[in-house]
Amino acid sequence: MRLLEAFLALASVTAQAQKTFKVSGDVTFTAVGNPGFMRIEGEGGKVSGTLQQTGDMVLGELTVELKDFETGIDLRDEHMRDKYLEVGKYPRAKLTLSPVPAKAGQVLFKGALELKGGTKPAEGGCKTNPSAGTWLAECTLKVKLSDYPQIGVPSYLGVTVAEAVDVRIVLKAAP
Amino acid sequence: MSTDPPLEPDSYVSLDHPMANGHTIIKALVVLAGVTLLAEIALAFPDNTRHGYASCDSCHVSPTGGGVLNAYGRGTSSAFLSTLSSEERAKAFYGLSTPTWLAIGGDQRITRLGVQSPYGALYKTIPMQADLELALTVGQITAAATWGVYGEGLEEGSRRHYVLLRLGDHFHVRAGRFYAGYGLHTADHTAYSRRELGFDEGQETVNFEVGTKGSVGDLTVTSVYGEAAAFAADPDRGYDTDTEGEAGVAARLQGYVGKASLVGMSAIHLASYDSQKTRYGFHYVLTAFSWLYAMGDWSYFVQEKGYAGTSSVTVEPYRGVLVSAVSEAKGTAIDRTQRLGLSLQLFPFPHWEVSYTARREETPIGPVYSLIGMLHHYL
């Protein structure tokens, strides 16, 4: 009986130590087209997911619907969604975070990014700001297109998108 | 504008001012020369910075813009510049698929001009340009040249020709006849920011240029060897390849700011046997939204202690329909001229541009009003 009580007490403590946060926010990306170094800005991505905080560490999954991105030019959007990302078959990207410190300020993270059916290691940095039980964070990571050969090399009439795409996530994680 | 209808097309129709005489006709013609030839050439189109295309050679073969379009530039004319899209018709000659080593194009422009000055009204139709341009690329080397007829006299010649060596994505060198990199090089060559700086139509110079660019900006340094009469067809002298006029150096540094804006500064120093010209300038394209942006290009004239510049705000309420308010000024310590304008620019479908511009300019003889319609077809 005492053993059962002790187990329940431990479970209770564990449950209290683990917090779950619901994530919402915006995702944008910047790519460069060469020759000419033209800037391609993707906007409109919405991030969602959950983060679990256990003690001083956080992990979780974030997803973004790829069809929501717009670059300001319809034809380019069409190529991005239908020809390269094939959002009909692969509607979302998923970032799975390995445990990272739950602290304010600069935080480096590692994880895995799933994109168009392929998963590759990903890493980046966040600037976090806790406020009244809620976390605000601005995170960046680089996506190397060559890590996802199934996407292909985005190219149109002699202009090719450069290898590295900068992704920016501005999120809010609330209980 | 005068309400008097023209008695004959393309002629002076009203000189009812009390001072009208032969002398004033000459004066009025001088004024006309100042405001005419508005039509826009297929020059650099820095407006496309609003879509993230801050670098000229995103769309043009020339690193500093203008002239024949590359394949991507033709694609953009369909993708976002023109009201009606047609990727196939946007190609050269309405559907010619050229190999990657060949770019071909050409421009035809005609302007209808009406001017009301204190001396009377003038209506005129001006054929401005009909030319072809070829650019051949072998490896990293591109050779480009125009040939055609220009201006009212339909003078035959080549206004732009150069050999360009690209050294990767970041560097280039170029030699030939073209505009030195300075300021924005807006399409309107009569803008104070161009005409007062010596970048009017036909004022391309013989240059040697080096340039570098990256995702944050670009730098161009140009050694200028004179305003060429190069290759102008002269019935007495044949094809003249001499250069003449001022020589010197120009430099332009631009930074790409935010998503779709740029700011830059320029300097040029030119000298001839009896004069020196030094100008410093700054320019910008600031984009609030892709349908609302501001451009400006202003220079200080060191020797004259003067200035000249052009600012504009443009709204694009519908794709291919651009409405701009333009404010310009030029002056010295003792003289100042101002010009205000409103323009409507239409790109109905690839290969076609129509514009209408109304202007009021303060001149020494009084206000001059002008209304200009321009039809531009590019191959």
Side-chain angles (χ1 to χ4, degrees):
Chain A
M1 186 65 185
R2 284 194 172 183
L3 185 61
L4 178 61
E5 284 176 358
F7 179 77
L8 289 174
L10 180 62
S12 172
V13 168
T14 304
Q16 283 175 0
Q18 189 173 65
K19 297 179 191 170
T20 299
F21 296 89
K22 191 174 179 184
V23 173
S24 61
D26 298 314
V27 185
T28 58
F29 69 80
T30 302
V32 173
N34 280 319
F37 296 97
M38 68 183 67
R39 293 175 71 91
I40 302 166
E41 301 280 347
E43 296 180 331
K46 299 292 180 191
V47 65
S48 61
T50 55
L51 297 176
Q52 285 88 40
Q53 180 180 351
T54 306
D56 294 335
M57 303 300 279
V58 171
L59 54 78
E61 285 184 357
L62 306 178
T63 60
V64 59
E65 296 289 331
L66 296 171
K67 67 175 172 47
D68 293 337
F69 283 112
E70 293 182 344
T71 68
I73 297 174
D74 293 344
L75 182 63
R76 191 162 62 195
D77 291 345
E78 187 184 316
H79 289 171
M80 174 181 69
R81 292 170 187 153
D82 300 339
K83 184 176 178 184
Y84 296 107
L85 294 177
E86 295 188 80
V87 299
K89 284 165 66 178
Y90 308 98
R92 57 191 68 88
K94 184 169 76 176
L95 177 64
T96 304
L97 289 174
S98 302
V100 295
K103 64 173 188 177
Q106 297 286 346
V107 178
L108 298 178
F109 69 82
K110 289 188 175 181
L113 178 66
E114 182 186 331
L115 188 59
K116 201 179 179 183
T119 303
K120 288 286 177 180
E123 58 183 52
C126 293
K127 188 177 176 182
T128 62
N129 180 23
S131 175
T134 297
W135 287 82
L136 303 174
E138 184 178 329
C139 305
T140 58
L141 72 152
K142 273 194 194 303
V143 177
K144 282 176 65 179
L145 291 177
S146 60
D147 283 346
Y148 304 90
Q150 63 275 29
I151 292 176
V153 180
S155 181
Y156 176 65
L157 295 176
V159 171
T160 302
V161 175
E163 161 79 348
V165 177
D166 292 315
V167 177
R168 182 168 174 260
I169 307 167
V170 179
L171 64 84
K172 176 181 175 183
Chain B
M1 294 297 298
S2 168
T3 55
D4 297 334
L7 299 177
E8 292 178 4
D10 305 332
S11 65
Y12 252 99
V13 295
S14 174
L15 283 173
D16 53 2
H17 190 276
M19 290 178 64
N21 54 35
H23 183 59
T24 56
I25 290 174
I26 292 170
K27 279 187 178 177
L29 283 171
V30 171
V31 172
L32 169 65
V35 297
T36 191
L37 300 175
L38 171 86
E40 296 172 12
I41 195 170
L43 283 165
F45 197 59
D47 309 53
N48 281 346
T49 301
R50 72 188 191 276
H51 291 296
Y53 298 94
S55 176
C56 305
D57 60 1
S58 298
C59 298
H60 293 273
V61 171
S62 167
T64 54
V68 67
L69 295 165
N70 59 31
Y72 193 87
R74 292 197 176 277
T76 60
S77 74
S78 169
F80 62 78
L81 187 63
S82 302
T83 303
L84 300 175
S85 298
S86 171
E87 198 172 343
E88 186 63 25
R89 282 171 58 86
K91 292 177 180 175
F93 294 88
Y94 294 88
L96 182 65
S97 292
T98 56
T100 54
W101 51 267
L102 172 66
I104 185 168
D107 297 272
Q108 301 83 47
R109 292 177 301 139
I110 189 166
T111 290
R112 177 69 179 171
L113 170 74
V115 178
Q116 172 70 55
S117 78
Y119 302 112
L122 174 73
Y123 300 89
K124 194 140 186 99
T125 300
I126 305 169
M128 300 187 63
Q129 176 184 18
D131 69 4
L132 290 174
E133 183 166 7
L134 275 178
L136 305 174
T137 300
V138 178
Q140 301 294 302
I141 300 174
T142 297
T146 62
W147 193 270
V149 291
Y150 302 92
E152 282 188 88
L154 297 178
E155 293 168 6
E156 182 189 346
S158 172
R159 285 191 165 169
R160 182 174 50 249
H161 37 265
Y162 56 82
V163 176
L164 166 69
L165 171 63
R166 293 187 187 279
L167 302 166
D169 286 336
H170 291 278
F171 299 97
H172 78 266
V173 296
R174 180 165 60 147
R177 185 175 190 232
F178 49 87
Y179 291 116
Y182 184 101
L184 270 185
H185 277 231
T186 53
D188 177 6
H189 64 91
T190 68
Y192 288 173
S193 57
R194 286 195 51 193
R195 173 165 283 177
E196 301 302 319
L197 272 293
F199 298 116
D200 201 351
E201 202 170 51
Q203 288 190 302
E204 292 90 343
T205 48
V206 174
N207 308 315
F208 178 78
E209 174 186 88
V210 295
T212 181
K213 69 178 58 177
S215 57
V216 297
D218 61 68
L219 169 68
T220 306
V221 179
T222 311
S223 182
V224 180
Y225 297 100
E227 189 174 306
F231 300 113
D234 185 316
D236 300 323
R237 296 190 300 171
Y239 291 96
D240 181 0
T241 57
D242 292 341
T243 60
E244 56 190 32
E246 301 150 330
V249 64
R252 182 180 71 180
L253 177 65
Q254 296 187 133
Y256 309 152
V257 182
K259 291 193 302 181
S261 297
L262 67 82
V263 294
M265 62 180 81
S266 301
I268 188 167
H269 177 78
L270 298 173
S272 64
Y273 70 96
D274 64 348
S275 70
Q276 302 250 341
K277 288 181 183 174
T278 309
R279 281 88 171 92
Y280 300 111
F282 72 95
H283 60 273
Y284 58 86
V285 179
L286 302 177
T287 303
F289 308 98
S290 62
W291 51 269
L292 176 64
Y293 58 98
M295 299 198 298
D297 190 355
W298 291 83
S299 291
Y300 175 66
F301 295 13
V302 173
Q303 286 79 12
E304 300 88 341
K305 293 184 170 52
Y307 63 93
T310 302
S311 294
S312 64
V313 176
T314 300
V315 61
E316 186 178 24
Y318 194 76
R319 196 172 94 169
V321 179
L322 284 76
V323 181
S324 300
V326 184
S327 174
E328 302 183 89
K330 60 181 177 180
T332 63
I334 58 171
D335 185 27
R336 176 179 164 82
T337 301
Q338 229 183 338
R339 185 162 71 183
L340 300 174
L342 190 64
S343 78
L344 171 65
Q345 195 174 12
L346 306 172
F347 296 92
F349 30 80
H351 298 283
W352 289 94
E353 174 194 2
V354 182
S355 71
Y356 301 94
T357 300
R359 282 174 168 171
R360 182 185 192 278
E361 183 175 26
E362 293 294 340
T363 74
I365 61 168
V368 173
Y369 299 90
S370 54
L371 185 61
I372 306 113
M374 189 273 293
L375 183 64
H376 173 207
H377 173 251
Y378 61 96
L379 289 169

